[in-house]
Amino acid sequence: MTGAGEWEPEAADLVRPYVITKGRGLPDEAELSLITLVTAAAENGQRPTRLSPEEQRLLDICSAGYLSVAEIAGHTRLPLGVVKILLAALTEGGYLITRPPVARAALADREILEEVLNGLRAKFG
């Protein structure tokens, strides 16, 4: 309160993330990590009508192709936790498809690399 009889509403920033996520909790880190790739599911010609504006925006962003969770959060400028919760809800609803990140390639065997190098040296001097 700023003075006698004056009422100041709460800041919307404190309430908004809870309202956007409808009170849902964060998904498991294995389900949606920062580098999990997300895209829109194939459409049947109709857009879903019962989505919040934030969910609709995420669906629009993801319809362009595969993006990581971190990239999507950057485009929306919403907190990462909120984006993860919304993406998990859209995935459960069948609107989005997630793909785990590409696994790291195994390191090459040092002995094989040395044999190749020795062979190249022998052939090309």
Side-chain angles (χ1 to χ4, degrees):
M1 297 188 80
T2 57
E6 292 182 33
W7 181 75
E8 196 172 293
E10 288 186 47
D13 295 339
L14 299 176
V15 179
R16 190 161 169 80
Y18 182 80
V19 173
I20 291 172
T21 61
K22 299 174 185 158
R24 294 178 288 226
L26 280 169
D28 186 26
E29 183 65 27
E31 181 184 338
L32 277 177
S33 69
L34 285 175
I35 56 176
T36 300
L37 299 175
V38 182
T39 192
E43 296 182 30
N44 317 19
Q46 293 182 338
R47 294 294 268 180
T49 56
R50 295 214 161 225
L51 296 179
S52 69
E54 292 81 12
E55 291 172 326
Q56 188 65 47
R57 184 165 178 225
L58 287 175
L59 196 56
D60 291 340
I61 290 171
C62 293
S63 65
Y66 279 99
L67 291 172
S68 71
V69 172
E71 289 172 317
I72 295 167
H75 286 297
T76 61
R77 297 185 183 207
L78 289 172
L80 181 62
V82 171
V83 172
K84 282 182 161 186
I85 292 169
L86 293 176
L87 289 175
L90 288 170
T91 303
E92 289 172 8
Y95 301 118
L96 295 178
I97 299 170
T98 60
R99 190 180 89 190
V102 177
R104 297 188 98 176
L107 296 175
D109 187 21
R110 184 177 177 94
E111 292 176 13
I112 293 175
L113 291 176
E114 286 178 359
E115 288 178 24
V116 169
L117 181 61
N118 291 337
L120 290 172
R121 284 185 182 150
K123 181 158 181 113
F124 299 109

